[in-house]
Amino acid sequence: VGTSNRERGLQRTTILDAHPRNREEADKYSVLLPTYNERENLPLIVWLLVKYFGESGYNYEIIVIDDGSPDGTLQIAEQLQKIYGDDKIVLRPRAKKLGLGTAYIHGIKHATGNFIIIMDADLSHHPKFIPEFIKKQKEGGYDLVSGTRYRGDGGVYGWDLRRKLISRGANFVTQVLLRPGASDLTGSFRLYKKDVLERLVERCVSKGYVFQMEMIVRARQLGYTIGEVPISFVDRVYGESKLGGNEIVSFLKGLLTLFATT
């Protein structure tokens, strides 16, 4: 029986769609950038993101979620949108500071990518590691890939001894109590499958610094696979660090809550 041109075309399309190379090309990466008073840092981080995504050839969008920054961060974001285009810079501001967890929920709703990258906008996370995250995810088919400061050639630069001790101590105690299967729980530079991130955010109840830790713990509970890429963390160049005594107390409370409920 003969095959029409239309049928042959549909067959070719199906074969192409099933090919791994085509699935990779169809992947899109949505970068969520929650911001609060980051007018100095935002142009630099966006430029670096555009540079490394452009060089690697992956499809992407950058979603800026500004929480009513009084320093004019949103106005800077609007200028960046004019430069790079509204298909690459997506603005989804909120009226006031509502927390990291809700910022991610807000961002996910507007993300058109099938992968989500979360990172800080203060230049502590260098976009040059993103192609390594993507490569790692593709190699192992991981549900999430987390940047780690505590494995391989990862490290921290610009912190004083106090900050390093707090971070190392928090990570050590967390490892002992929760056995999460990941070396860096308090970091916030990660790549998620979009549907995985949606499920994790739904289940997380923590806020602040504990939120990132709970995401990894819940991922382990749900049987998601976790890959790691060593990263260099650099302390913020502009602006003030948001880590203070209240955050440390909140972290310890949150850690004990997670220990008691997981």
Side-chain angles (χ1 to χ4, degrees):
V1 179
T3 305
S4 70
N5 289 336
R6 182 175 179 274
E7 287 171 332
R8 282 196 294 271
L10 287 171
Q11 287 171 356
R12 282 198 299 272
T13 302
T14 303
I15 292 167
L16 285 169
D17 287 344
H19 196 280
R21 174 70 179 167
N22 282 74
R23 285 201 299 272
E24 285 185 19
E25 289 174 353
D27 288 335
K28 184 175 182 180
Y29 298 86
S30 298
V31 181
L32 303 189
L33 277 186
T35 59
Y36 187 77
N37 287 350
E38 299 288 1
R39 64 170 289 129
E40 292 97 344
N41 295 315
L42 191 60
L44 291 171
I45 195 70
V46 167
W47 182 82
L48 287 167
L49 283 165
V50 171
K51 169 183 165 63
Y52 284 99
F53 270 114
E55 290 176 357
S56 60
Y58 294 114
N59 191 14
Y60 72 98
E61 64 183 356
I62 302 165
I63 302 177
V64 180
I65 307 147
D66 186 63
D67 275 5
S69 297
D71 73 340
T73 298
L74 181 58
Q75 286 69 39
I76 296 295
E78 289 169 347
Q79 292 178 37
L80 292 169
Q81 188 180 57
K82 290 176 183 176
I83 294 169
Y84 298 109
D86 57 11
D87 59 325
K88 295 301 181 189
I89 310 297
V90 181
L91 307 184
R92 292 294 180 263
R94 303 189 297 176
K96 60 181 180 179
K97 201 170 183 181
L98 297 169
L100 197 58
T102 59
Y104 290 149
I105 293 170
H106 186 67
I108 291 168
K109 288 177 182 175
H110 300 285
T112 59
N114 56 325
F115 287 94
I116 305 280
I117 294 167
I118 64 169
M119 63 188 299
D120 294 341
D122 62 5
L123 299 174
S124 57
H125 298 145
H126 202 299
K128 69 181 179 182
F129 294 109
I130 289 176
E132 295 180 35
F133 280 44
I134 295 172
K135 182 182 176 184
K136 183 77 173 182
Q137 191 282 323
K138 291 186 181 302
E139 286 175 351
Y142 294 106
D143 294 307
L144 73 97
V145 175
S146 180
T148 177
R149 298 162 288 182
Y150 305 125
R151 185 167 286 176
D153 56 359
V156 175
Y157 302 91
W159 277 1
D160 59 20
L161 183 60
R162 173 182 167 273
R163 286 288 300 274
K164 287 182 179 179
L165 287 174
I166 289 171
S167 180
R168 283 281 188 179
N171 208 60
F172 175 75
V173 172
T174 303
Q175 295 289 341
V176 171
L177 290 180
L178 301 178
R179 298 184 298 280
S183 63
D184 189 345
L185 272 79
T186 55
S188 54
F189 193 4
R190 296 175 186 164
L191 164 67
Y192 291 88
K193 290 180 179 177
K194 183 180 180 181
D195 59 336
V196 169
L197 181 58
E198 286 172 330
R199 292 190 198 109
L200 289 175
V201 169
E202 283 173 4
R203 286 165 172 77
C204 286
V205 296
S206 305
K207 294 181 180 179
Y209 292 91
V210 186
F211 176 79
Q212 301 293 3
M213 181 173 67
E214 185 180 356
M215 294 279 276
I216 294 288
V217 174
R218 300 295 179 201
R220 184 205 63 182
Q221 275 187 321
L222 294 169
Y224 291 130
T225 53
I226 304 171
E228 290 191 312
V229 170
I231 63 165
S232 302
F233 177 94
V234 181
D235 196 23
R236 60 164 49 244
V237 179
Y238 299 108
E240 296 180 2
S241 170
K242 299 174 180 73
L243 178 64
N246 290 338
E247 283 76 14
I248 295 170
V249 172
S250 296
F251 171 83
L252 292 173
K253 286 181 179 176
L255 176 59
L256 292 174
T257 301
L258 275 179
F259 179 65
T261 59
T262 58

